[in-house]
Amino acid sequence: MTTPINFYDFNREEMTNLLTEWGSPRHTGAQVYQWLYKKKAKGFGDMTDLPKALREDLSSKAALSGLRLHTKQVSQDGTIKYLWQLPTDAMGPGATVESVLIPMARDEEGQPGRFTACLSTQAGCRMKCTFCATGVPKFGRNLSTAEIIGQILGMEQDSSTSFNNVVVMGMGEPMDNYEHTQKAMRILNDPEGLGLGRRRITVSTSGLIDHMTRFIKDDWPVSLAVSLHSADPEIRSKLMPINRSNPLDKLKKVMIDFTRKRRLPVTLEYILLKDVNDRPEDAQKLYSYCKDLLCKVNLIRYNPVPTLPFNAPSEERVDAFREDLKKRGMRVFLRERKGVDIAAACGQLGFENQVDRVTS
Ligand code: SAH
Ligand code: SF4
């Protein structure tokens, strides 16, 4: 059995081309696209301004397939974690993947926020950072464009909210699923799609240099966050094995290139790990690394992951590190902790499922 074409896998241009090939006038593509993303149609039958014969024809040739909700958990702070059951299809065996809805009183820069969606791009991750839950289980598979977009549509539908911020900071390394993530980001940004501005979409990468070079050339319509976690090559290699083939000096060059071309600062994510990268000399190294880079630093308190050998520093230590950077004139923010009680915070995604699978 072949899997029917899923229209959520197409950007506007592709949709227009496909429908023209199938004999419709060019404007039908834009019309269908609007039904998907502006009017949130559930099926071709809803598309009442299309001729009935066309609606029937589309229903026989294509599908509008969303994600199937497996479970949902609500945190005391209002954060909601969604676990989706992926189908077994051309993309590979059925895996589960998580996304998070984060209600924000203010965003990290103190601007009023509403709802942030945190999306996954892979079931698992091949980068195997030593502090991260997602890298622990065996890698599952890349998500399709429809599965990335489906997380937003599914969460919006379930919660009756719409998102004004998207962060690609869930499970997986977005650059390692380059094509599908890129297309999903274009649908998010397209004014006729979900219509989120470049500054409202942030893609976080562990820092794969060749992919980032391509990302700059392709001009993804997003802001960039890079997981740095240490400006010391030895420490970073211990935390992130990819540092060996993607060293800090080259990483900096590509980040400078991004800031020059896009005229946007890059966000550096820095998880504070007790006695590993939270000492005054670590702050000094971070400062030296950043001083000629247009950037802001996002400090993240480590969220504990059972079985992994790391701890969070004390609040005093976190404050001291932040103050140290501030005194040096750096733009530094401390990420609010959300959804820890349901393991929905940064780096906790994917762990519980693994435990489920191991024990069931
Ligand atoms: N793979 C990408 C995006 C997903 S990870 C990346 O690594 O950037 C999103 C963020 O969560 C990254 O900054 C990552 O380093 C951080 N993170 C991972 N594990 C964490 C943990 N246990 N506690 C806090 N943050 C964590
Ligand atoms: Fe993958 Fe990011 Fe986790 Fe590293 S921190 S294992 S790159 S998801």
Side-chain angles (χ1 to χ4, degrees):
M1 195 191 86
T2 51
T3 321
I5 288 175
N6 186 355
F7 268 16
Y8 292 117
D9 275 319
F10 289 69
N11 63 24
R12 184 151 47 109
E13 192 188 348
E14 289 169 338
M15 184 104 71
T16 303
N17 291 342
L18 180 75
L19 290 172
T20 325
E21 246 172 65
W22 286 355
S24 290
R26 278 201 80 73
H27 69 263
T28 309
Q31 245 175 316
V32 171
Y33 203 72
Q34 274 203 351
W35 274 109
L36 260 53
Y37 297 110
K38 295 281 180 236
K39 303 186 218 166
K40 313 276 161 83
K42 300 284 165 299
F44 295 109
D46 293 347
M47 304 182 182
T48 45
D49 56 357
L50 301 185
K52 188 150 179 281
L54 175 60
R55 280 183 262 155
E56 282 168 5
D57 186 41
L58 293 181
S59 306
S60 70
K61 287 182 176 153
L64 302 183
S65 308
L67 289 179
R68 195 163 79 73
L69 182 60
H70 181 290
T71 15
K72 166 176 140 179
Q73 281 174 281
V74 183
S75 158
Q76 285 164 1
D77 65 22
T79 301
I80 308 178
K81 182 166 82 170
Y82 291 88
L83 180 66
W84 310 103
Q85 176 71 58
L86 305 180
T88 299
D89 57 18
M91 294 295 296
T96 50
V97 77
E98 292 172 336
S99 14
V100 187
L101 176 158
I102 312 163
M104 305 281 264
R106 309 233 153 249
D107 68 14
E108 274 151 354
E109 292 179 26
Q111 301 298 316
R114 289 199 302 274
F115 294 97
T116 296
C118 177
L119 306 183
S120 297
T121 54
Q122 298 180 310
C125 184
R126 297 198 288 195
M127 306 304 130
K128 307 280 173 212
C129 301
T130 52
F131 51 80
C132 175
T134 304
V136 175
K138 193 169 156 277
F139 177 72
R141 65 165 168 89
N142 282 336
L143 303 194
S144 66
T145 298
E147 287 166 342
I148 300 171
I149 285 294
Q151 295 170 57
I152 296 252
L153 298 176
M155 288 195 284
E156 283 189 344
Q157 193 189 339
D158 177 79
S159 62
S160 309
T161 47
S162 59
F163 292 104
N164 60 339
N165 266 308
V166 169
V167 295
V168 183
M169 296 185 182
M171 295 165 70
E173 167 49 53
M175 299 284 158
D176 189 38
N177 182 11
Y178 190 93
E179 295 299 348
H180 295 141
T181 308
Q182 170 172 219
K183 205 193 282 183
M185 297 303 110
R186 294 200 186 282
I187 296 172
L188 272 182
N189 174 252
D190 187 338
E192 301 297 326
L194 289 166
L196 282 175
R198 183 188 277 266
R199 286 160 201 264
R200 296 258 163 225
I201 312 170
T202 304
V203 171
S204 172
T205 176
S206 53
L208 302 177
I209 291 158
D210 290 346
H211 294 77
M212 288 169 73
T213 307
R214 197 172 154 208
F215 156 97
I216 297 169
K217 193 164 145 276
D218 289 344
D219 190 16
W220 288 30
V222 300
S223 302
L224 176 66
V226 173
S227 290
L228 195 71
H229 309 323
S230 175
D232 178 293
E234 262 178 51
I235 300 176
R236 191 166 192 264
S237 294
K238 281 198 187 125
L239 298 174
M240 308 176 71
I242 59 120
N243 186 63
R244 295 197 193 96
S245 41
N246 295 270
L248 284 160
D249 51 345
K250 286 198 181 146
L251 179 61
K252 185 153 140 189
K253 278 204 188 108
V254 76
M255 289 194 287
I256 291 177
D257 193 29
F258 173 84
T259 60
R260 293 205 176 129
K261 294 220 167 85
R262 299 285 95 82
R263 296 175 189 280
L264 275 176
V266 60
T267 300
L268 299 179
E269 295 165 282
Y270 194 103
I271 303 176
L272 285 164
L273 299 158
K274 186 177 175 206
D275 299 330
V276 175
N277 65 357
D278 64 341
R279 302 155 304 173
E281 64 258 40
D282 298 307
Q284 164 65 44
K285 280 182 190 153
L286 178 58
Y287 166 73
S288 306
Y289 185 74
C290 294
K291 60 181 192 296
D292 47 357
L293 177 66
L294 178 63
C295 67
K296 53 187 178 177
V297 174
N298 235 326
L299 297 177
I300 309 170
R301 295 180 189 90
Y302 182 59
N303 291 313
V305 177
T307 77
L308 299 185
F310 296 99
N311 294 304
S314 64
E315 283 305 306
E316 292 75 48
R317 195 90 175 236
V318 170
D319 286 344
F321 197 90
R322 176 164 60 161
E323 282 312 310
D324 187 340
L325 298 180
K326 267 195 179 160
K327 274 197 207 115
R328 294 172 193 269
M330 295 173 69
R331 291 180 68 202
V332 46
F333 304 93
L334 180 62
R335 184 173 294 169
E336 230 183 297
R337 225 173 188 172
K338 291 281 195 176
V340 183
D341 55 333
I342 55 164
C346 287
Q348 296 183 310
L349 300 184
F351 187 77
E352 286 187 338
N353 305 330
Q354 184 221 0
V355 174
D356 285 353
R357 265 188 246 140
V358 171
T359 53
S360 59

